[in-house]
Amino acid sequence: MRKQILFCAALLLLSILSSVSVVAQDVIPQPNNISYSKGYFTLNKGLKAVTNLTGQDFKVLNQFTSDDMDMPLISMKKPSKAYNVRLICTGTALQATQAQDSARLQGYELEVSPKSITIQSLTPTGLFYGLLTLAQLEKGRQIPCVKVKDTPRFPYRGLMIDCSRHFWTKKFIMKQLDAMAYFKLNRFHWHLTDGGGWRMEVKQYPRLTNETAYRTQSDWVKWWMEKDRKYCPVGTPGAYGGYYTQQDIKDIVRYAAARHITVIPEIEMPGHSDEVVYAYPELSCTGKPYTQSDLCVGKEKTYTFLENVLKEVMQLFPSEYIHIGGDEAERRTWNTCPDCQRLMKEHNLKNTAELQSYFTHRIEQFLNKNGRKLLGWDEIMEGNLAPNAAVMSWRGTDAGIEAAKHKHHVVMAPQQYYYLNMYQDDPMGQPKAQGGYTRLDKIYSYNPLPMTYKGTDVEKYMDGVQACVWTEFISEPDHLEYMLYPRLFALAETGWTKKPTGYVDFHRRALVNVERLKKEGYHVFDLSKEKGPREESRSITIHEALGKPVTYLGRYSEKYRAEGDSSLVNGLRGDWGYLEGRWQGFIDSTGMDVVVDMGKITDIRDVEVDFMHMYDVVIYAPESVTLMVSDDGKNYKTIDKVNPGIKANVPYLLYPYVWKGNVKGRYVRMKALSREPDAWIFTDEIIINRK
Ligand code: ACM
Ligand code: ZN
């Protein structure tokens, strides 16, 4: 009897497992509320699909189903049940126009049975998302029978591409819009202007593109960092760059709208405006190009210029939000400029942060008067935040939370999770990227809205999430795609899915979608070959100095303190990047000079210390490393000194200092000197007598 029960239980388990494996779907983002039943609907040739959409909505959806799903639509006021596939919009025209700002209005219900498919939504946007789920469920023209009731977690799910540092063609942008739509992203934040070149044709100010859209060379480091910086006029032989004509912009905006993506243009001001100051030096404080990034905010003609530019921007972009940058203004020349100083006095502004705030308020008033809203990077909160402004939180998450608490709309784009220009795997096997290490699972782990904010203004005003890719070190289309995918999948899932199914399940679906994108001609990071975290960081390193007192003769910087005084003897080794709180950074002229007190005279047999070298962020392997021991903590004997001899321009490596021998001593002192006054030294652990 017992055997029989066990046998039945095994059978039951088998049947559950087999039914699960039949319906194991790989949709990204994971739909909210999906249930399966037996069977499939087969997408036969000549399948008829019907919808009650009319006019432009019909045209746009029909184009998508015809081109991408081989399933043309018929428009019919009351879709007849005689058709197998029915897409029914149940909402009003007003709801349709509000869909981009409302998660509820982007929702849909999808039902697939062996004989029929029905998608219902209040809006055409919801129907579009229902179709995308359908497209992702399809395998070999078969769709498993399902019921899906799905609304996104956030109304705003975005991607920013920096088109200034390197220029990306219209065709390339459209290709990324296709992928964004496939993963239900709905905001393309277009970083159009910056020191790398102005990219948008402005009829009233032709010098912007004629004089700055091209430059002497493509390589960012050579062009910008090594001070060989020159813009060149359009048509200069061999010049690098490009810009979008107003027609290109209209085409991209229309292409995006057909995929239910709003394009939000970013026109940087008052900082990151080197190119504007070059084209129109009279808009700067000093009139000297190549010496400052900021516009002069004290001159009236700056406001006239910006308002005229924004007028053309508003004609081209229907987006309610216009992004005005606002980040990293130097505010340097404002301190001495007579115009800026006069304005500060006139308005009783105490400092340059308040001056920038005055500027932002004025720009906001102009946008609001024209029926638009201002969106800016979180620096716009310094001084005091313009009354209706929305904030994009990039310097971590605190600014976004704070702004939302004060009833400002917020988009979370924290750099430590959502800057996709960071490394995604062991930097030694990766193309050059910027400082941090942002693995797929780290992005997936970010929860923008922890439970503590449930029901609060933070929940109410958090519009959503956005990934950003800055392109200083990315000059090739394949490289940019490689940085975007699959990491963008994780953002898509966080933005859409209310109850994540866990990283193991997400990773499985990501692998499938990597293959899908590859088939469609995208150049994608091969997730199946991901090395993952640095081996040493995965477990505690056991050694005899663990937990011993440490004295710093050359102190770490508070900015990169890791766990402070215990950090180098806590057994916790760093990962590939320096931003995760395990690597400790030293910048003072004393370099790193650290004494570990072993507590008693000890046989010292081995000492190991890793040093990071990351050229672009001026973290260098040390010029010299000296190991000393002492019995009394006063008189030290040098037992080893090495000069690693690492070339400064090596993009990335971890230099492993190792000493082996046999000496006695109580105090072990490690001194590492920097090769240049402004270079960092980073280390993660002093391992003494490894066990
Ligand atoms: C930024 O990364 N400066 C917004
Ligand atoms: Zn000025």
Side-chain angles (χ1 to χ4, degrees):
M1 184 64 184
R2 207 176 127 74
K3 255 191 185 161
Q4 212 171 353
I5 290 170
L6 276 176
F7 180 68
C8 287
L11 265 186
L12 185 66
L13 187 67
L14 244 166
S15 78
I16 290 170
L17 283 177
S18 61
S19 74
V20 168
S21 71
V22 167
V23 294
Q25 50 81 13
D26 18 69
V27 180
I28 290 181
Q30 168 72 25
N32 297 292
N33 304 310
I34 181 163
S35 59
Y36 298 89
S37 49
K38 269 207 161 129
Y40 291 89
F41 181 95
T42 304
L43 294 168
N44 289 320
K45 267 235 162 306
L47 185 71
K48 297 216 172 79
V50 67
T51 179
N52 61 343
L53 290 181
T54 56
Q56 186 62 13
D57 289 332
F58 170 76
K59 219 172 120 189
V60 166
L61 203 66
N62 184 34
Q63 181 142 22
F64 175 74
T65 57
S66 305
D67 294 354
D68 290 34
M69 302 181 79
D70 200 13
M71 188 175 76
L73 293 177
I74 297 163
S75 177
M76 193 180 269
K77 209 169 182 179
K78 276 214 158 125
S80 149
K81 291 219 162 130
Y83 290 90
N84 299 112
V85 182
R86 300 179 335 125
L87 313 177
I88 302 163
C89 185
T90 55
T92 62
L94 181 64
Q95 285 173 318
T97 61
Q98 291 172 340
Q100 284 299 78
D101 299 321
S102 157
R104 185 178 68 88
L105 295 175
Q106 293 172 29
Y108 65 92
E109 290 183 31
L110 162 69
E111 185 162 357
V112 180
S113 75
K115 293 218 157 55
S116 68
I117 295 175
T118 311
I119 304 176
Q120 290 200 55
S121 170
L122 288 166
T123 64
T125 305
L127 291 183
F128 181 67
Y129 290 144
L131 275 167
L132 285 167
T133 299
L134 198 66
Q136 287 203 27
L137 283 168
E138 185 216 317
K139 278 206 189 86
R141 305 299 286 167
Q142 286 205 312
I143 299 167
C145 293
V146 280
K147 276 189 187 171
V148 183
K149 196 163 189 256
D150 201 12
T151 55
R153 183 180 183 196
F154 294 110
Y156 185 122
R157 303 170 301 280
L159 169 66
M160 186 216 79
I161 298 180
D162 170 8
C163 296
S164 175
R165 272 52 172 267
H166 282 97
F167 176 73
W168 309 97
T169 64
K170 177 166 109 173
K171 192 166 162 222
F172 179 80
I173 296 291
M174 287 175 167
K175 188 179 171 196
Q176 308 324 309
L177 290 168
D178 286 341
M180 284 175 66
Y182 190 70
F183 299 107
K184 300 190 177 92
L185 299 190
N186 66 351
R187 295 293 196 292
F188 173 50
H189 168 177
W190 200 357
H191 189 76
L192 279 164
T193 74
D194 212 309
W198 183 282
R199 305 293 177 208
M200 172 190 151
E201 180 190 16
V202 178
K203 303 273 191 207
Q204 196 170 342
Y205 298 103
R207 285 180 61 83
L208 288 170
T209 46
N210 286 349
E211 297 298 324
T212 83
Y214 291 83
R215 62 189 197 223
T216 41
Q217 70 158 308
S218 157
D219 187 301
W220 180 260
V221 174
K222 288 201 182 114
W223 188 72
W224 181 271
M225 313 265 224
E226 294 173 10
K227 307 279 182 235
D228 171 30
R229 203 190 308 172
K230 289 277 177 297
Y231 300 104
C232 16
V234 170
T236 305
Y240 168 82
Y243 66 92
Y244 306 100
T245 64
Q246 294 211 346
Q247 188 56 48
D248 289 336
I249 291 170
K250 283 180 195 159
D251 293 345
I252 285 175
V253 168
R254 197 177 322 110
Y255 193 85
R259 284 150 187 78
H260 297 266
I261 296 171
T262 300
V263 183
I264 300 178
E266 180 183 350
I267 307 296
E268 272 272 15
M269 60 185 86
H272 284 279
S273 298
D274 314 67
E275 80 290 26
V276 183
V277 169
Y278 175 78
Y280 296 97
E282 64 272 24
L283 302 178
S284 69
C285 294
T286 65
K288 290 192 200 116
Y290 299 121
T291 62
Q292 66 202 292
S293 296
D294 295 344
L295 297 168
C296 173
V297 294
K299 292 186 178 75
E300 209 39 45
K301 58 179 125 177
T302 300
Y303 296 89
T304 310
F305 166 83
L306 289 171
E307 288 180 7
N308 288 334
V309 168
L310 287 172
K311 273 183 205 154
E312 292 195 33
V313 167
M314 288 186 287
Q315 275 163 12
L316 292 167
F317 294 93
S319 158
E320 187 176 32
Y321 278 114
I322 306 291
H323 202 305
I324 60 104
D327 58 316
E328 298 178 316
E330 295 173 338
R331 302 173 185 161
R332 179 169 43 86
T333 54
W334 301 350
N335 279 313
T336 47
C337 165
D339 294 310
C340 289
Q341 289 299 308
R342 180 190 37 76
L343 195 72
M344 282 177 72
K345 277 204 193 84
E346 227 172 82
H347 294 273
N348 211 10
L349 305 171
K350 288 194 287 298
N351 50 44
T352 50
E354 288 193 6
L355 180 58
Q356 182 169 349
S357 181
Y358 165 90
F359 165 87
T360 310
H361 278 64
R362 265 187 77 169
I363 299 295
E364 168 165 272
Q365 276 168 8
F366 176 75
L367 289 173
N368 290 171
K369 233 177 30 210
N370 286 277
R372 306 302 179 97
K373 290 185 182 159
L374 182 146
L375 173 59
W377 299 110
D378 58 52
E379 284 93 333
I380 64 168
M381 293 169 71
E382 294 165 12
N384 54 72
L385 184 52
N388 306 311
V391 173
M392 192 166 268
S393 190
W394 75 278
R395 294 177 300 177
T397 58
D398 293 353
I401 300 288
E402 198 52 33
K405 280 183 183 165
H406 289 91
K407 302 187 194 300
H408 285 267
H409 285 273
V410 161
V411 176
M412 300 305 278
Q415 59 179 336
Q416 69 269 39
Y417 295 104
Y418 285 161
Y419 273 23
L420 304 187
N421 37 297
M422 308 289 185
Y423 285 104
Q424 59 191 319
D425 205 2
D426 172 0
M428 282 174 277
Q430 292 298 306
K432 186 164 151 179
Q434 269 162 328
Y437 169 44
T438 311
R439 235 186 358 250
L440 185 66
D441 66 339
K442 181 171 178 190
I443 301 174
Y444 183 81
S445 75
Y446 173 55
N447 178 7
L449 206 51
M451 274 305 282
T452 43
Y453 297 118
K454 192 107 197 96
T456 68
D457 279 339
V458 176
E459 179 176 46
K460 196 164 153 196
Y461 286 92
M462 192 176 286
D463 289 354
V465 289
Q466 180 176 288
C468 301
V469 61
W470 299 99
T471 60
E472 283 91 339
F473 301 128
I474 305 171
S475 59
E476 297 302 318
D478 281 359
H479 186 186
L480 181 45
E481 288 180 356
Y482 182 88
M483 302 308 272
L484 288 176
Y485 314 109
R487 290 189 290 183
L488 199 57
F489 304 173
L491 174 117
E493 183 113 337
T494 302
W496 187 280
T497 307
K498 293 167 192 169
K499 288 197 182 124
T501 52
Y503 188 68
V504 172
D505 177 60
F506 171 74
H507 186 263
R508 177 187 63 76
R509 287 179 285 123
L511 286 171
V512 176
N513 281 279
V514 159
E515 292 309 313
R516 280 185 182 146
L517 282 191
K518 275 204 241 168
K519 258 197 213 121
E520 294 296 320
Y522 290 83
H523 188 80
V524 182
F525 168 71
D526 191 347
L527 185 60
S528 68
K529 299 207 171 79
E530 183 187 25
K531 277 195 181 176
R534 181 177 170 231
E535 192 60 42
E536 290 81 349
S537 71
R538 297 183 197 197
S539 56
I540 292 186
T541 302
I542 308 291
H543 58 97
E544 285 184 19
L546 266 189
K548 297 284 191 282
V550 175
T551 307
Y552 284 85
L553 304 174
R555 208 163 168 75
Y556 53 84
S557 151
E558 277 305 312
K559 194 167 171 198
Y560 299 107
R561 67 190 306 278
E563 291 189 1
D565 288 6
S566 63
S567 204
L568 299 183
V569 288
N570 62 3
L572 300 176
R573 315 283 299 281
D575 212 328
W576 300 118
Y578 65 99
L579 294 170
E580 288 81 33
R582 290 196 177 179
W583 288 93
Q584 196 164 61
F586 301 79
I587 189 80
D588 289 350
S589 57
T590 41
M592 167 195 167
D593 194 353
V594 179
V595 178
V596 182
D597 179 359
M598 300 300 284
K600 60 179 187 332
I601 302 286
T602 305
D603 285 323
I604 310 294
R605 296 182 307 276
D606 52 84
V607 177
E608 298 168 48
V609 186
D610 287 340
F611 293 97
M612 183 179 279
H613 183 100
M614 200 185 274
Y615 173 58
D616 292 326
V617 284
V618 204
I619 297 173
Y620 292 161
E623 173 69 23
S624 65
V625 181
T626 309
L627 181 65
M628 293 164 267
V629 291
S630 162
D631 291 346
D632 58 7
K634 290 188 191 102
N635 303 300
Y636 281 92
K637 187 170 83 184
T638 297
I639 58 168
D640 191 30
K641 182 166 183 188
V642 295
N643 300 94
I646 308 294
K647 275 197 181 140
N649 65 0
V650 172
Y652 182 93
L653 59 76
L654 298 179
Y655 170 73
Y657 170 81
V658 181
W659 172 85
K660 282 188 192 303
N662 198 350
V663 296
K664 282 191 191 305
R666 173 172 167 175
Y667 298 92
V668 178
R669 181 172 171 189
M670 163 71 52
K671 189 172 165 71
L673 287 176
S674 175
R675 53 191 299 152
E676 281 174 23
D678 291 331
W680 288 87
I681 289 176
F682 267 77
T683 188
D684 60 343
E685 187 79 1
I686 298 178
I687 303 162
I688 301 175
N689 295 348
R690 186 195 276 270
K691 288 185 180 165

PDB file of all heavy atoms in Angstrom, residues 333-347:
ATOM      1  N   THR A 333      33.284  79.885 -13.258  1.00  0.00           N
ATOM      2  CA  THR A 333      33.408  81.242 -13.805  1.00  0.00           C
ATOM      3  C   THR A 333      32.315  82.169 -13.259  1.00  0.00           C
ATOM      4  O   THR A 333      32.461  83.389 -13.334  1.00  0.00           O
ATOM      5  CB  THR A 333      33.309  81.207 -15.340  1.00  0.00           C
ATOM      6  OG1 THR A 333      32.101  80.526 -15.704  1.00  0.00           O
ATOM      7  CG2 THR A 333      34.489  80.481 -15.959  1.00  0.00           C
ATOM      8  N   TRP A 334      31.268  81.595 -12.717  1.00  0.00           N
ATOM      9  CA  TRP A 334      30.171  82.423 -12.192  1.00  0.00           C
ATOM     10  C   TRP A 334      30.625  83.283 -11.010  1.00  0.00           C
ATOM     11  O   TRP A 334      30.040  84.315 -10.717  1.00  0.00           O
ATOM     12  CB  TRP A 334      28.985  81.555 -11.740  1.00  0.00           C
ATOM     13  CG  TRP A 334      28.389  80.694 -12.827  1.00  0.00           C
ATOM     14  CD1 TRP A 334      28.648  80.750 -14.161  1.00  0.00           C
ATOM     15  CD2 TRP A 334      27.424  79.648 -12.648  1.00  0.00           C
ATOM     16  NE1 TRP A 334      27.911  79.796 -14.834  1.00  0.00           N
ATOM     17  CE2 TRP A 334      27.155  79.117 -13.926  1.00  0.00           C
ATOM     18  CE3 TRP A 334      26.759  79.114 -11.537  1.00  0.00           C
ATOM     19  CZ2 TRP A 334      26.242  78.067 -14.126  1.00  0.00           C
ATOM     20  CZ3 TRP A 334      25.855  78.072 -11.731  1.00  0.00           C
ATOM     21  CH2 TRP A 334      25.601  77.556 -13.014  1.00  0.00           C
ATOM     22  N   ASN A 335      31.663  82.807 -10.313  1.00  0.00           N
ATOM     23  CA  ASN A 335      32.135  83.523  -9.128  1.00  0.00           C
ATOM     24  C   ASN A 335      32.797  84.854  -9.454  1.00  0.00           C
ATOM     25  O   ASN A 335      32.854  85.752  -8.608  1.00  0.00           O
ATOM     26  CB  ASN A 335      33.155  82.658  -8.370  1.00  0.00           C
ATOM     27  CG  ASN A 335      32.453  81.643  -7.509  1.00  0.00           C
ATOM     28  OD1 ASN A 335      31.511  81.985  -6.797  1.00  0.00           O
ATOM     29  ND2 ASN A 335      32.888  80.395  -7.586  1.00  0.00           N
ATOM     30  N   THR A 336      33.328  84.954 -10.672  1.00  0.00           N
ATOM     31  CA  THR A 336      34.065  86.174 -11.023  1.00  0.00           C
ATOM     32  C   THR A 336      33.404  86.950 -12.162  1.00  0.00           C
ATOM     33  O   THR A 336      33.808  88.069 -12.462  1.00  0.00           O
ATOM     34  CB  THR A 336      35.509  85.816 -11.433  1.00  0.00           C
ATOM     35  OG1 THR A 336      35.450  84.725 -12.342  1.00  0.00           O
ATOM     36  CG2 THR A 336      36.338  85.424 -10.222  1.00  0.00           C
ATOM     37  N   CYS A 337      32.405  86.348 -12.799  1.00  0.00           N
ATOM     38  CA  CYS A 337      31.763  87.004 -13.939  1.00  0.00           C
ATOM     39  C   CYS A 337      30.885  88.169 -13.454  1.00  0.00           C
ATOM     40  O   CYS A 337      30.028  87.983 -12.587  1.00  0.00           O
ATOM     41  CB  CYS A 337      30.927  85.972 -14.681  1.00  0.00           C
ATOM     42  SG  CYS A 337      29.756  86.692 -15.833  1.00  0.00           S
ATOM     43  N   PRO A 338      31.088  89.380 -13.992  1.00  0.00           N
ATOM     44  CA  PRO A 338      30.293  90.535 -13.528  1.00  0.00           C
ATOM     45  C   PRO A 338      28.798  90.320 -13.740  1.00  0.00           C
ATOM     46  O   PRO A 338      27.986  90.704 -12.891  1.00  0.00           O
ATOM     47  CB  PRO A 338      30.791  91.696 -14.393  1.00  0.00           C
ATOM     48  CG  PRO A 338      31.969  91.193 -15.148  1.00  0.00           C
ATOM     49  CD  PRO A 338      32.072  89.723 -15.013  1.00  0.00           C
ATOM     50  N   ASP A 339      28.419  89.677 -14.847  1.00  0.00           N
ATOM     51  CA  ASP A 339      26.983  89.460 -15.105  1.00  0.00           C
ATOM     52  C   ASP A 339      26.380  88.494 -14.086  1.00  0.00           C
ATOM     53  O   ASP A 339      25.286  88.719 -13.573  1.00  0.00           O
ATOM     54  CB  ASP A 339      26.787  88.913 -16.524  1.00  0.00           C
ATOM     55  CG  ASP A 339      27.192  89.928 -17.571  1.00  0.00           C
ATOM     56  OD1 ASP A 339      26.729  91.084 -17.476  1.00  0.00           O
ATOM     57  OD2 ASP A 339      28.001  89.580 -18.462  1.00  0.00           O
ATOM     58  N   CYS A 340      27.102  87.406 -13.822  1.00  0.00           N
ATOM     59  CA  CYS A 340      26.589  86.428 -12.858  1.00  0.00           C
ATOM     60  C   CYS A 340      26.521  87.055 -11.467  1.00  0.00           C
ATOM     61  O   CYS A 340      25.551  86.867 -10.724  1.00  0.00           O
ATOM     62  CB  CYS A 340      27.468  85.176 -12.840  1.00  0.00           C
ATOM     63  SG  CYS A 340      27.302  84.193 -14.341  1.00  0.00           S
ATOM     64  N   GLN A 341      27.561  87.817 -11.123  1.00  0.00           N
ATOM     65  CA  GLN A 341      27.607  88.448  -9.808  1.00  0.00           C
ATOM     66  C   GLN A 341      26.486  89.478  -9.638  1.00  0.00           C
ATOM     67  O   GLN A 341      25.846  89.553  -8.591  1.00  0.00           O
ATOM     68  CB  GLN A 341      28.977  89.103  -9.586  1.00  0.00           C
ATOM     69  CG  GLN A 341      30.091  88.087  -9.381  1.00  0.00           C
ATOM     70  CD  GLN A 341      29.850  87.219  -8.139  1.00  0.00           C
ATOM     71  OE1 GLN A 341      29.624  87.732  -7.061  1.00  0.00           O
ATOM     72  NE2 GLN A 341      29.871  85.898  -8.316  1.00  0.00           N
ATOM     73  N   ARG A 342      26.227  90.250 -10.700  1.00  0.00           N
ATOM     74  CA  ARG A 342      25.157  91.252 -10.653  1.00  0.00           C
ATOM     75  C   ARG A 342      23.801  90.576 -10.396  1.00  0.00           C
ATOM     76  O   ARG A 342      23.027  90.979  -9.530  1.00  0.00           O
ATOM     77  CB  ARG A 342      25.129  92.033 -11.983  1.00  0.00           C
ATOM     78  CG  ARG A 342      24.056  93.118 -12.057  1.00  0.00           C
ATOM     79  CD  ARG A 342      23.884  93.710 -13.453  1.00  0.00           C
ATOM     80  NE  ARG A 342      24.025  92.753 -14.547  1.00  0.00           N
ATOM     81  CZ  ARG A 342      23.124  91.859 -14.907  1.00  0.00           C
ATOM     82  NH1 ARG A 342      21.976  91.781 -14.273  1.00  0.00           N
ATOM     83  NH2 ARG A 342      23.355  91.024 -15.911  1.00  0.00           N
ATOM     84  N   LEU A 343      23.580  89.474 -11.118  1.00  0.00           N
ATOM     85  CA  LEU A 343      22.312  88.753 -10.961  1.00  0.00           C
ATOM     86  C   LEU A 343      22.167  88.193  -9.536  1.00  0.00           C
ATOM     87  O   LEU A 343      21.085  88.232  -8.943  1.00  0.00           O
ATOM     88  CB  LEU A 343      22.246  87.605 -11.982  1.00  0.00           C
ATOM     89  CG  LEU A 343      20.871  87.010 -12.186  1.00  0.00           C
ATOM     90  CD1 LEU A 343      19.967  87.970 -12.955  1.00  0.00           C
ATOM     91  CD2 LEU A 343      20.971  85.695 -12.964  1.00  0.00           C
ATOM     92  N   MET A 344      23.280  87.696  -9.003  1.00  0.00           N
ATOM     93  CA  MET A 344      23.234  87.145  -7.638  1.00  0.00           C
ATOM     94  C   MET A 344      22.848  88.236  -6.635  1.00  0.00           C
ATOM     95  O   MET A 344      22.038  88.005  -5.739  1.00  0.00           O
ATOM     96  CB  MET A 344      24.581  86.512  -7.263  1.00  0.00           C
ATOM     97  CG  MET A 344      24.767  85.138  -7.888  1.00  0.00           C
ATOM     98  SD  MET A 344      26.372  84.411  -7.550  1.00  0.00           S
ATOM     99  CE  MET A 344      26.234  83.985  -5.832  1.00  0.00           C
ATOM    100  N   LYS A 345      23.442  89.432  -6.831  1.00  0.00           N
ATOM    101  CA  LYS A 345      23.132  90.540  -5.910  1.00  0.00           C
ATOM    102  C   LYS A 345      21.674  90.948  -6.044  1.00  0.00           C
ATOM    103  O   LYS A 345      20.957  91.110  -5.062  1.00  0.00           O
ATOM    104  CB  LYS A 345      24.037  91.736  -6.213  1.00  0.00           C
ATOM    105  CG  LYS A 345      25.371  91.597  -5.559  1.00  0.00           C
ATOM    106  CD  LYS A 345      26.058  92.962  -5.334  1.00  0.00           C
ATOM    107  CE  LYS A 345      27.505  92.692  -4.981  1.00  0.00           C
ATOM    108  NZ  LYS A 345      28.361  92.507  -6.173  1.00  0.00           N
ATOM    109  N   GLU A 346      21.268  91.106  -7.306  1.00  0.00           N
ATOM    110  CA  GLU A 346      19.904  91.554  -7.603  1.00  0.00           C
ATOM    111  C   GLU A 346      18.851  90.657  -6.941  1.00  0.00           C
ATOM    112  O   GLU A 346      17.830  91.117  -6.459  1.00  0.00           O
ATOM    113  CB  GLU A 346      19.727  91.490  -9.117  1.00  0.00           C
ATOM    114  CG  GLU A 346      19.108  92.711  -9.760  1.00  0.00           C
ATOM    115  CD  GLU A 346      19.200  92.544 -11.260  1.00  0.00           C
ATOM    116  OE1 GLU A 346      18.344  91.843 -11.851  1.00  0.00           O
ATOM    117  OE2 GLU A 346      20.167  93.084 -11.827  1.00  0.00           O
ATOM    118  N   HIS A 347      19.132  89.364  -6.940  1.00  0.00           N
ATOM    119  CA  HIS A 347      18.144  88.410  -6.424  1.00  0.00           C
ATOM    120  C   HIS A 347      18.522  87.844  -5.068  1.00  0.00           C
ATOM    121  O   HIS A 347      17.925  86.862  -4.618  1.00  0.00           O
ATOM    122  CB  HIS A 347      17.925  87.283  -7.438  1.00  0.00           C
ATOM    123  CG  HIS A 347      17.284  87.767  -8.706  1.00  0.00           C
ATOM    124  ND1 HIS A 347      15.920  87.865  -8.856  1.00  0.00           N
ATOM    125  CD2 HIS A 347      17.826  88.229  -9.850  1.00  0.00           C
ATOM    126  CE1 HIS A 347      15.644  88.347 -10.055  1.00  0.00           C
ATOM    127  NE2 HIS A 347      16.791  88.578 -10.688  1.00  0.00           N
TER     128      HIS A 347
END
